[in-house]
Coordinates of all heavy atoms in Angstrom, one line a residue:
M983 N -84.6 57.1 15.9 CA -83.6 57.1 14.8 C -84.3 57.0 13.5 O -84.7 56.0 13.0 CB -82.7 55.8 15.0 CG -82.0 55.8 16.4 SD -80.9 57.1 16.6 CE -80.3 56.8 18.2
A984 N -84.5 58.2 12.9 CA -85.1 58.2 11.6 C -84.1 57.9 10.5 O -83.1 58.6 10.4 CB -85.8 59.5 11.3
N985 N -84.4 56.9 9.7 CA -83.5 56.5 8.7 C -84.0 57.2 7.4 O -85.0 56.8 6.8 CB -83.5 55.0 8.5 CG -82.1 54.6 7.9 OD1 -81.3 55.4 7.6 ND2 -81.9 53.3 7.8
T986 N -83.3 58.2 7.0 CA -83.7 58.9 5.8 C -83.3 58.1 4.5 O -82.2 57.7 4.3 CB -82.9 60.3 5.7 OG1 -81.6 60.0 5.9 CG2 -83.5 61.2 6.7
S987 N -84.4 57.8 3.8 CA -84.1 56.9 2.6 C -83.6 57.8 1.5 O -84.2 58.8 1.1 CB -85.4 56.2 2.2 OG -86.4 57.2 2.0
T988 N -82.4 57.4 1.0 CA -81.8 58.2 -0.1 C -82.2 57.6 -1.4 O -81.5 57.9 -2.4 CB -80.3 58.2 0.1 OG1 -79.8 56.8 0.3 CG2 -79.9 59.0 1.3
G989 N -83.2 56.7 -1.4 CA -83.5 56.1 -2.7 C -82.6 55.0 -3.1 O -82.4 54.7 -4.3
N990 N -81.8 54.5 -2.2 CA -80.8 53.5 -2.5 C -81.6 52.1 -2.6 O -82.1 51.7 -1.6 CB -79.7 53.4 -1.5 CG -78.4 53.9 -2.1 OD1 -78.3 54.1 -3.3 ND2 -77.4 54.0 -1.2
P991 N -81.5 51.5 -3.7 CA -82.2 50.2 -3.8 C -81.4 49.2 -3.0 O -80.2 49.1 -3.0 CB -82.1 49.9 -5.4 CG -81.0 50.7 -5.9 CD -80.9 51.9 -5.0
V992 N -82.2 48.4 -2.4 CA -81.6 47.3 -1.6 C -81.0 46.2 -2.5 O -81.8 45.4 -3.0 CB -82.6 46.7 -0.6 CG1 -81.9 45.6 0.3 CG2 -83.1 47.8 0.3
T993 N -79.7 46.2 -2.6 CA -79.1 45.3 -3.5 C -79.0 43.9 -2.8 O -78.5 43.9 -1.7 CB -77.7 45.7 -4.0 OG1 -77.0 46.1 -2.8 CG2 -77.8 46.9 -4.9
P994 N -79.4 42.9 -3.5 CA -79.3 41.6 -2.9 C -77.9 41.2 -2.7 O -77.0 41.7 -3.4 CB -80.0 40.6 -3.9 CG -79.9 41.4 -5.2 CD -79.9 42.9 -4.8
L995 N -77.7 40.3 -1.7 CA -76.3 39.8 -1.5 C -75.7 39.1 -2.7 O -76.4 38.6 -3.5 CB -76.3 38.8 -0.3 CG -76.7 39.5 1.0 CD1 -76.9 38.4 2.1 CD2 -75.6 40.4 1.5
P996 N -74.5 39.3 -2.9 CA -73.8 38.6 -4.0 C -74.0 37.1 -3.9 O -74.2 36.5 -2.9 CB -72.3 38.9 -3.8 CG -72.2 39.5 -2.4 CD -73.5 40.0 -2.0
A997 N -74.0 36.5 -5.1 CA -74.2 35.1 -5.1 C -73.1 34.3 -4.4 O -72.2 33.8 -4.9 CB -74.2 34.6 -6.6
R998 N -73.3 34.3 -3.1 CA -72.4 33.6 -2.3 C -73.0 32.3 -1.8 O -74.1 32.3 -1.2 CB -72.0 34.5 -1.1 CG -70.4 34.4 -0.9 CD -70.0 35.3 0.2 NE -68.6 35.5 0.3 CZ -68.0 36.1 1.2 NH1 -68.7 36.7 2.2 NH2 -66.7 36.3 1.2
R999 N -72.3 31.3 -1.9 CA -72.9 30.0 -1.5 C -73.0 29.9 0.0 O -71.9 29.8 0.7 CB -72.0 28.8 -2.1 CG -72.2 28.7 -3.6 CD -73.6 28.0 -3.8 NE -73.8 28.0 -5.3 CZ -74.9 27.4 -5.8 NH1 -75.7 26.8 -5.0 NH2 -75.1 27.4 -7.1
R1000 N -74.2 29.9 0.5 CA -74.3 29.7 1.9 C -74.5 28.2 2.2 O -74.9 27.4 1.4 CB -75.5 30.5 2.4 CG -75.2 31.9 2.6 CD -76.3 32.5 3.5 NE -75.9 33.9 3.8 CZ -76.7 34.6 4.6 NH1 -77.7 34.1 5.2 NH2 -76.3 35.9 4.9
R1001 N -74.3 27.9 3.5 CA -74.5 26.5 3.9 C -75.7 26.4 4.8 O -76.0 27.2 5.6 CB -73.3 26.0 4.6 CG -72.1 26.0 3.7 CD -71.3 24.7 3.8 NE -70.2 24.6 2.8 CZ -69.4 23.6 2.7 NH1 -69.5 22.7 3.6 NH2 -68.5 23.5 1.8
C1002 N -76.4 25.3 4.6 CA -77.6 25.1 5.3 C -77.2 24.9 6.8 O -76.3 24.1 7.2 CB -78.3 23.8 4.9 SG -79.7 23.4 5.9
P1003 N -77.7 25.8 7.7 CA -77.4 25.7 9.1 C -77.9 24.5 9.8 O -77.5 24.1 10.9 CB -78.1 27.0 9.7 CG -79.2 27.3 8.7 CD -78.8 26.8 7.4
I1004 N -78.7 23.7 9.1 CA -79.3 22.5 9.7 C -78.4 21.3 9.4 O -78.0 20.6 10.3 CB -80.7 22.3 9.2 CG1 -81.6 23.5 9.4 CG2 -81.3 21.0 9.8 CD1 -81.7 23.9 10.9
C1005 N -78.1 21.1 8.1 CA -77.4 19.9 7.8 C -76.0 20.2 7.2 O -75.2 19.3 7.1 CB -78.2 19.0 6.9 SG -78.5 19.8 5.3
G1006 N -75.8 21.5 6.9 CA -74.5 21.8 6.4 C -74.3 21.7 4.9 O -73.3 22.0 4.3
K1007 N -75.4 21.3 4.2 CA -75.3 21.2 2.8 C -75.4 22.6 2.1 O -75.9 23.5 2.7 CB -76.4 20.3 2.2 CG -76.2 18.9 2.6 CD -77.4 18.1 2.0 CE -77.2 16.6 2.4 NZ -78.4 15.8 1.9
P1008 N -74.8 22.7 0.9 CA -74.9 24.0 0.3 C -76.4 24.4 0.1 O -77.3 23.6 -0.3 CB -74.3 23.8 -1.1 CG -73.8 22.4 -1.1 CD -74.1 21.7 0.2
A1009 N -76.7 25.7 0.5 CA -78.1 26.1 0.5 C -78.5 26.3 -1.0 O -77.8 26.7 -1.9 CB -78.2 27.4 1.2
M1010 N -79.8 26.1 -1.2 CA -80.4 26.3 -2.5 C -81.1 27.6 -2.5 O -81.7 28.1 -1.6 CB -81.4 25.2 -2.8 CG -80.8 23.8 -2.8 SD -79.7 23.6 -4.2 CE -80.8 23.3 -5.5
P1011 N -80.9 28.4 -3.6 CA -81.5 29.7 -3.7 C -83.0 29.7 -3.5 O -83.6 30.6 -3.0 CB -81.2 30.1 -5.2 CG -80.2 29.1 -5.7 CD -80.2 27.9 -4.8
R1012 N -83.5 28.5 -3.8 CA -85.0 28.4 -3.6 C -85.4 28.4 -2.1 O -86.5 28.7 -1.8 CB -85.5 27.2 -4.4 CG -87.0 27.2 -4.7 CD -87.3 26.1 -5.5 NE -88.7 26.1 -5.9 CZ -89.3 25.1 -6.6 NH1 -88.6 24.2 -7.2 NH2 -90.6 25.2 -6.9
H1013 N -84.5 27.8 -1.3 CA -84.8 27.6 0.1 C -83.9 28.3 1.0 O -83.7 27.9 2.1 CB -84.9 26.1 0.4 CG -85.8 25.3 -0.5 ND1 -87.2 25.5 -0.4 CD2 -85.6 24.5 -1.5 CE1 -87.7 24.7 -1.2 NE2 -86.8 24.1 -1.9
Q1014 N -83.2 29.3 0.5 CA -82.2 30.0 1.3 C -82.8 30.4 2.6 O -84.0 30.8 2.7 CB -81.8 31.3 0.6 CG -80.6 31.0 -0.3 CD -80.0 32.2 -0.9 OE1 -80.5 33.3 -0.8 NE2 -78.9 32.1 -1.6
P1015 N -82.0 30.4 3.7 CA -80.6 29.9 3.6 C -80.5 28.4 3.8 O -79.4 28.0 4.3 CB -80.0 30.7 4.8 CG -81.1 30.8 5.8 CD -82.4 30.8 5.0
F1016 N -81.5 27.7 3.6 CA -81.5 26.3 3.8 C -81.3 25.5 2.5 O -81.4 26.1 1.4 CB -82.7 25.9 4.5 CG -83.0 26.6 5.8 CD1 -84.0 27.7 5.7 CD2 -82.3 26.4 6.9 CE1 -84.2 28.4 6.8 CE2 -82.6 27.2 8.0 CZ -83.5 28.2 8.0
C1017 N -81.1 24.2 2.6 CA -80.9 23.5 1.4 C -82.2 22.9 0.9 O -82.3 22.6 -0.3 CB -79.9 22.3 1.7 SG -80.6 21.0 2.8
S1018 N -83.2 22.9 1.8 CA -84.5 22.4 1.3 C -85.6 22.9 2.2 O -85.3 23.4 3.3 CB -84.4 20.9 1.3 OG -84.2 20.4 2.7
A1019 N -86.8 22.7 1.8 CA -87.9 23.2 2.6 C -88.0 22.4 3.9 O -88.4 22.9 4.9 CB -89.2 23.0 1.8
R1020 N -87.4 21.2 3.9 CA -87.5 20.4 5.1 C -86.6 21.0 6.2 O -87.0 21.1 7.3 CB -87.0 19.0 4.7 CG -87.3 18.0 5.8 CD -87.0 16.6 5.3 NE -87.5 15.6 6.3 CZ -87.4 14.3 6.1 NH1 -86.8 13.8 5.0 NH2 -87.8 13.5 7.0
C1021 N -85.4 21.4 5.8 CA -84.5 22.0 6.7 C -85.1 23.3 7.3 O -84.9 23.6 8.4 CB -83.1 22.2 6.1 SG -82.2 20.7 6.1
A1022 N -85.7 24.0 6.4 CA -86.3 25.3 6.8 C -87.4 25.0 7.9 O -87.6 25.7 8.8 CB -86.9 26.0 5.6
D1023 N -88.1 23.9 7.6 CA -89.1 23.5 8.6 C -88.5 23.2 9.9 O -89.0 23.5 11.0 CB -89.9 22.3 8.0 CG -91.4 22.5 8.3 OD1 -91.9 23.6 8.1 OD2 -92.0 21.5 8.7
I1024 N -87.4 22.5 9.8 CA -86.8 22.0 11.1 C -86.3 23.2 11.9 O -86.5 23.3 13.1 CB -85.5 21.1 10.8 CG1 -86.0 19.8 10.2 CG2 -84.7 20.9 12.0 CD1 -84.9 18.9 9.6
D1025 N -85.8 24.2 11.1 CA -85.3 25.4 11.8 C -86.5 26.2 12.4 O -86.4 26.6 13.6 CB -84.6 26.3 10.8 CG -84.0 27.5 11.4 OD1 -83.0 27.3 12.1 OD2 -84.5 28.6 11.3
L1026 N -87.6 26.2 11.7 CA -88.8 26.9 12.3 C -89.2 26.1 13.5 O -89.6 26.8 14.5 CB -89.8 26.8 11.2 CG -91.1 27.6 11.6 CD1 -90.9 29.1 11.8 CD2 -92.2 27.3 10.6
G1027 N -89.2 24.8 13.5 CA -89.6 24.0 14.6 C -88.7 24.4 15.8 O -89.1 24.4 17.0
R1028 N -87.4 24.5 15.6 CA -86.5 24.8 16.7 C -86.9 26.1 17.3 O -86.8 26.3 18.5 CB -85.1 24.9 16.1 CG -84.5 23.5 15.8 CD -83.1 23.6 15.4 NE -82.5 22.3 15.1 CZ -81.3 22.1 14.7 NH1 -80.5 23.1 14.6 NH2 -80.8 20.9 14.5
W1029 N -87.2 27.0 16.4 CA -87.6 28.4 16.9 C -88.8 28.3 17.8 O -88.9 28.9 18.8 CB -87.8 29.3 15.7 CG -86.7 30.1 15.4 CD1 -85.6 29.7 14.6 CD2 -86.4 31.4 15.9 NE1 -84.7 30.7 14.6 CE2 -85.1 31.8 15.3 CE3 -87.0 32.3 16.7 CZ2 -84.5 33.0 15.6 CZ3 -86.4 33.6 17.0 CH2 -85.2 33.9 16.4
L1030 N -89.8 27.5 17.3 CA -91.0 27.4 18.1 C -90.9 26.7 19.4 O -91.5 27.0 20.4 CB -92.1 26.7 17.2 CG -92.5 27.5 15.9 CD1 -93.4 26.7 15.1 CD2 -93.1 28.8 16.3
N1031 N -90.0 25.7 19.4 CA -89.8 24.9 20.5 C -88.8 25.4 21.5 O -88.9 25.3 22.7 CB -89.4 23.4 20.2 CG -90.6 22.7 19.4 OD1 -91.7 23.0 19.7 ND2 -90.2 21.9 18.4
G1032 N -87.8 26.0 20.9 CA -86.7 26.6 21.7 C -87.1 27.9 22.4 O -88.2 28.3 22.4
N1033 N -86.1 28.5 22.9 CA -86.3 29.8 23.6 C -86.2 30.9 22.6 O -85.4 30.9 21.8 CB -85.3 30.0 24.7 CG -85.0 28.7 25.5 OD1 -85.8 27.8 25.6 ND2 -83.7 28.6 25.9
Y1034 N -87.2 31.7 22.7 CA -87.1 32.9 21.9 C -86.1 33.9 22.5 O -86.1 34.1 23.7 CB -88.4 33.6 21.9 CG -89.5 32.8 21.2 CD1 -90.4 32.1 22.0 CD2 -89.6 32.7 19.8 CE1 -91.4 31.4 21.4 CE2 -90.6 32.0 19.3 CZ -91.5 31.3 20.0 OH -92.4 30.5 19.5
S1035 N -85.3 34.5 21.7 CA -84.3 35.5 22.2 C -84.9 36.9 22.0 O -84.4 37.7 21.3 CB -83.0 35.3 21.5 OG -83.2 35.4 20.1
I1036 N -86.0 37.1 22.7 CA -86.6 38.4 22.6 C -86.0 39.3 23.7 O -86.0 39.0 24.9 CB -88.1 38.3 22.8 CG1 -88.7 37.4 21.8 CG2 -88.8 39.7 22.8 CD1 -90.2 37.2 21.9
P1037 N -85.5 40.4 23.2 CA -84.9 41.4 24.2 C -86.0 41.9 25.1 O -87.1 42.3 24.7 CB -84.4 42.5 23.3 CG -85.1 42.4 22.0 CD -85.5 40.9 21.9
A1038 N -85.7 41.9 26.4 CA -86.6 42.4 27.4 C -86.7 43.9 27.4 O -86.0 44.6 28.1 CB -86.2 41.9 28.8
D1039 N -87.4 44.4 26.4 CA -87.5 45.9 26.2 C -89.0 46.3 26.3 O -89.6 46.6 25.4 CB -86.9 46.3 24.9 CG -86.8 47.8 24.8 OD1 -86.6 48.4 25.8 OD2 -86.9 48.3 23.7
E1040 N -89.5 46.2 27.5 CA -90.9 46.5 27.7 C -91.1 48.0 27.8 O -90.2 48.7 28.4 CB -91.4 45.8 29.0 CG -91.5 44.3 28.8 CD -92.0 43.7 30.1 OE1 -92.6 44.4 30.9 OE2 -91.7 42.5 30.3
P1041 N -92.1 48.4 27.3 CA -92.4 49.9 27.4 C -92.7 50.3 28.8 O -93.3 49.5 29.6 CB -93.6 50.1 26.5 CG -94.3 48.8 26.4 CD -93.2 47.7 26.6
P1042 N -92.3 51.5 29.2 CA -92.5 52.0 30.5 C -94.0 52.1 30.8 O -94.8 52.4 30.0 CB -91.8 53.4 30.5 CG -91.8 53.8 29.1 CD -91.6 52.5 28.3
E1043 N -94.3 51.8 32.0 CA -95.7 51.8 32.4 C -96.2 53.2 32.4 O -95.6 54.1 32.9 CB -95.9 51.2 33.8 CG -95.9 49.7 33.7 CD -96.2 49.1 35.1 OE1 -96.9 49.8 35.9 OE2 -95.6 48.0 35.4
E1044 N -97.4 53.4 31.8 CA -97.9 54.7 31.8 C -98.5 55.1 33.1 O -99.3 54.4 33.7 CB -99.0 54.8 30.7 CG -98.4 55.0 29.3 CD -99.5 55.2 28.3 OE1 -100.5 55.9 28.6 OE2 -99.4 54.6 27.2
E1045 N -98.2 56.3 33.6 CA -98.7 56.7 34.9 C -100.2 57.1 34.7 O -100.5 57.8 33.7 CB -97.9 57.9 35.4 CG -96.6 57.4 35.9 CD -95.8 58.6 36.5 OE1 -96.4 59.6 36.9 OE2 -94.5 58.5 36.5
P1046 N -101.0 56.8 35.6 CA -102.4 57.2 35.6 C -102.6 58.7 35.5 O -101.8 59.4 36.2 CB -103.0 56.6 36.8 CG -101.9 56.3 37.7 CD -100.6 56.1 36.8
E1047 N -103.5 59.1 34.7 CA -103.7 60.5 34.5 C -104.3 61.1 35.8 O -105.1 60.6 36.4 CB -104.6 60.8 33.4 CG -103.8 61.5 32.2 CD -104.8 61.7 31.1 OE1 -105.5 62.7 31.1 OE2 -104.7 60.9 30.1
G1048 N -103.9 62.3 36.1 CA -104.5 63.0 37.2 C -104.0 62.6 38.6 O -104.0 61.4 38.9
G1049 N -103.4 63.5 39.3 CA -102.9 63.1 40.6 C -103.8 63.4 41.7 O -103.5 63.4 42.9
E1050 N -105.1 63.7 41.3 CA -106.1 64.0 42.4 C -106.5 62.8 43.1 O -106.6 61.7 42.6 CB -107.2 64.8 41.7 CG -106.8 66.1 41.1 CD -107.9 66.7 40.3 OE1 -109.1 66.4 40.7 OE2 -107.6 67.5 39.4
R1051 N -107.0 63.0 44.3 CA -107.5 61.9 45.1 C -108.9 62.1 45.4 O -109.3 63.2 45.8 CB -106.7 61.8 46.4 CG -105.4 61.1 46.1 CD -104.7 60.6 47.4 NE -103.4 60.0 47.1 CZ -102.6 59.7 48.1 NH1 -102.9 59.8 49.4 NH2 -101.5 59.1 47.8
Ligands
ZN2451 ZN1 -80.3 21.2 5.0

């Protein structure tokens, strides 16, 4: 899927107040989407300790070259 860039600048999201997913406080622009670096750290820790939601999309095994025996 080639995404042809039309030279459209990626406009930042409108100034919408997000809430910290950790504690629910209004997120600070400095630590978005968290309210503080601490909450960001907590979220990171969860990621590291929790299960990664990596899609099982392994590349197909390459067949060995040459079918000669
Ligand atoms: Zn927070």
Side-chain angles (χ1 to χ4, degrees):
M983 302 295 179
N985 207 354
T986 49
S987 55
T988 52
N990 246 354
V992 179
T993 49
L995 291 171
R998 225 178 191 185
R999 287 284 172 175
R1000 279 196 176 187
R1001 296 225 170 178
C1002 176
I1004 304 299
C1005 65
K1007 287 181 183 177
M1010 298 294 281
R1012 199 173 181 179
H1013 302 290
Q1014 269 186 357
F1016 308 100
C1017 70
S1018 63
R1020 196 172 187 179
C1021 280
D1023 219 47
I1024 292 172
D1025 186 72
L1026 182 67
R1028 285 185 182 181
W1029 264 85
L1030 294 175
N1031 294 324
N1033 322 328
Y1034 296 99
S1035 54
I1036 299 178
D1039 190 28
E1040 290 178 20
E1043 282 185 30
E1044 276 186 42
E1045 287 183 22
E1047 245 180 81
E1050 295 173 25
R1051 278 194 183 175

